Amino acid sequence: MQNKSTQRVTKKRKEISHDRILEVAARAIRRSGYDGTGVADIMKEAGLTHGGFYAHFESRDTLLAEAGDRAGAESVAIASRIVAAAPAGQAIRALMEAYLSAEHINAIETGCPVSALGSEMPRQSPEVRRAATLHIKEMIDLVARQLPDWGQPQAHEQAMALLCALIGTTMIARAVDDPALSEALCAATMKQFNPATE
Amino acid sequence: MQNKSTQRVTKKRKEISHDRILEVAARAIRRSGYDGTGVADIMKEAGLTHGGFYAHFESRDTLLAEAGDRAGAESVAIASRIVAAAPAGQAIRALMEAYLSAEHINAIETGCPVSALGSEMPRQSPEVRRAATLHIKEMIDLVARQLPDWGQPQAHEQAMALLCALIGTTMIARAVDDPALSEALCAATMKQFNPATE
DNA sequence: TTTAAAATATGATAACCATCATATTAATAT
DNA sequence: ATATTAATATGATGGTTATCATATTTTAAA
């Protein structure tokens, strides 16, 4: 038996590797998709060898589930920070501008996992879909709280429609091979939900 | 050398197999994704053996490109038919209702390929992305022509925003594991772009 | 410094997949 | 009916991948 300090240090070491693998995987799935993400690639990118993977995760599937969950949680956290930093009454506009910005469109590895992985979701394991659904609901609530008529049922509806539009626009802007069209799509959605601004 | 009738018959036979493979593949990519679609599966579903595949297509990649192109062309054709069949002034509503219907949400194999494959597009070959971009532009134009202020630049913008919203909503409605949320998302987008109706 | 335990690396296995060479079957023209 | 050619089937190859058993290295305690 070991004393508590040993256990803590031991845990820490493994936790660091576990965390690094997870962080790499959270980016890899958004870059290469669930199907396109292999154990060997992730371990190499994490600076480890492929065989050691199973000391950290039960299977490739559990890693992908945890990685998706982490990506979703981080995305909600980023959105919360944008809302908190926005001037009063400007939270929605700030969220939309961040979401439809060229930086977000070009940062698929670290951006919203729904626009990066959405069309692969119907095939994923129940755990993956459950986590994704949870984070989507969190995001809807976050958006609804920033709307002028928060509390009324229509706020929730408006939040859902806005989020679907933002995610769809981002996904399509990344899908097409015509940069001018990508920009036009973002501008069109911006205008549609924010008619006041040019 | 052969006479013309022989050539025609010969072509026809191969064309039938080619076409059946393509049709199966166009459904398979929407069901299983580009990465998840294998040559052997497609050939089996087409009633042929895997090895014979290369008599019909140069490679798996060229098949996937052709299959995506066919799925996109068929989707635009379906939308055109819906528009043509709608009563005067009701084309947009008819398109939205078809797009956000439970039937379309549940028919991923035969539905809009952008919502089924959109988040895999950034990784696809130039040919695949070019064809997808083309069909998306066709769809934008089709929608714009049905808008009240067709001809003005804002019609094009409205069409882009509407399409992004419809595609995003469909994708997310399929992604989440909560049927009530799926329905609420579709209803919210319907209301947002069609405030007149309950 | 030596020992015990944890963390990681190495190498192997089995399954899967795209591709291709060759054999077989089916269809057509004489 | 037979010869010719197209279409498809069979079986093999090389590459990749998830998984795992075992060996090595690293870490911390004595």
Side-chain angles (χ1 to χ4, degrees):
Chain A
M1 253 301 173
Q2 311 154 314
N3 63 27
K4 271 170 192 172
S5 123
T6 303
Q7 282 185 348
R8 200 181 311 132
V9 171
T10 295
K11 237 190 206 165
K12 269 259 163 73
R13 227 164 75 77
K14 207 170 183 186
E15 237 172 50
I16 288 171
S17 286
H18 183 100
D19 231 59
R20 192 168 61 240
I21 295 171
L22 207 52
E23 195 196 316
V24 166
R27 276 188 275 116
I29 54 175
R30 283 175 278 190
R31 181 187 353 115
S32 310
Y34 279 112
D35 286 348
T37 300
V39 170
D41 308 324
I42 291 171
M43 291 300 276
K44 186 184 235 178
E45 208 178 322
L48 298 169
T49 52
H50 67 276
F53 173 77
Y54 294 87
H56 295 282
F57 294 90
E58 203 180 292
S59 70
R60 176 178 171 275
D61 280 343
T62 64
L63 168 68
L64 296 187
E66 283 191 45
D69 188 34
R70 161 178 285 223
E74 273 176 9
S75 248
V76 174
I78 289 173
S80 297
R81 259 176 268 139
I82 291 173
V83 163
Q90 295 294 307
I92 292 284
R93 169 178 302 276
L95 271 177
M96 290 180 62
E97 275 171 359
Y99 214 95
L100 298 174
S101 69
E103 294 80 52
H104 183 228
I105 301 294
N106 293 322
I108 193 166
E109 271 193 16
T110 54
C112 169
V114 184
S115 43
L117 292 164
S119 60
E120 291 188 67
M121 289 296 310
R123 302 187 283 281
Q124 300 312 309
S125 70
E127 300 84 49
V128 170
R129 297 186 71 198
R130 179 151 27 86
T133 304
L134 201 89
H135 293 305
I136 288 170
K137 284 176 174 171
E138 289 171 357
M139 196 72 96
I140 292 171
D141 288 341
L142 176 66
V143 170
R145 284 198 297 274
Q146 317 311 318
L147 287 170
D149 39 9
W150 169 42
Q152 296 178 264
Q154 64 193 29
H156 220 249
E157 270 190 338
Q158 285 171 23
M160 288 192 282
L162 173 55
L163 255 186
C164 289
L166 291 176
I167 290 170
T169 304
T170 304
M171 180 184 73
I172 301 171
R174 287 171 178 157
V176 299
D177 66 358
D178 177 349
L181 178 58
S182 291
E183 284 174 38
L185 292 168
C186 291
T189 294
M190 195 74 195
K191 208 172 191 175
Q192 174 74 37
F193 285 84
N194 223 342
T197 307
E198 145 56 9
Chain B
M1 253 301 169
Q2 310 152 316
N3 64 27
K4 271 169 190 173
S5 123
T6 302
Q7 282 184 349
R8 199 180 312 133
V9 170
T10 294
K11 237 188 205 169
K12 269 259 163 78
R13 227 163 77 76
K14 207 171 182 185
E15 237 172 50
I16 289 171
S17 286
H18 183 101
D19 231 58
R20 192 169 60 240
I21 296 171
L22 208 50
E23 195 196 316
V24 166
R27 275 189 277 115
I29 54 175
R30 283 174 277 191
R31 181 187 353 117
S32 310
Y34 280 112
D35 286 348
T37 300
V39 170
D41 306 324
I42 291 171
M43 292 299 276
K44 186 184 235 178
E45 209 179 321
L48 297 169
T49 51
H50 67 278
F53 173 76
Y54 293 88
H56 295 283
F57 293 90
E58 203 180 291
S59 70
R60 176 178 171 275
D61 280 342
T62 63
L63 169 69
L64 296 187
E66 283 191 46
D69 188 34
R70 161 178 285 222
E74 272 176 11
S75 248
V76 173
I78 290 173
S80 298
R81 259 176 269 138
I82 291 173
V83 163
Q90 295 293 308
I92 292 286
R93 171 180 300 276
L95 271 177
M96 290 179 63
E97 275 171 0
Y99 214 95
L100 299 174
S101 69
E103 294 80 51
H104 183 227
I105 301 294
N106 292 322
I108 192 166
E109 271 193 16
T110 54
C112 167
V114 184
S115 43
L117 292 164
S119 60
E120 291 188 67
M121 289 296 311
R123 303 186 281 282
Q124 301 311 310
S125 71
E127 299 85 50
V128 170
R129 298 185 71 199
R130 179 150 27 86
T133 304
L134 201 90
H135 293 305
I136 288 171
K137 284 176 174 170
E138 288 171 357
M139 196 71 97
I140 293 171
D141 288 341
L142 176 65
V143 170
R145 283 197 297 274
Q146 317 311 318
L147 287 169
D149 40 9
W150 169 42
Q152 297 177 264
Q154 66 194 28
H156 220 249
E157 268 190 339
Q158 284 171 23
M160 289 191 280
L162 174 55
L163 255 185
C164 289
L166 291 176
I167 290 170
T169 304
T170 303
M171 179 183 74
I172 302 170
R174 288 172 178 157
V176 299
D177 66 357
D178 177 348
L181 178 58
S182 291
E183 283 174 40
L185 293 168
C186 291
T189 294
M190 195 72 195
K191 208 171 192 175
Q192 174 74 38
F193 285 84
N194 223 344
T197 308
E198 148 48 12

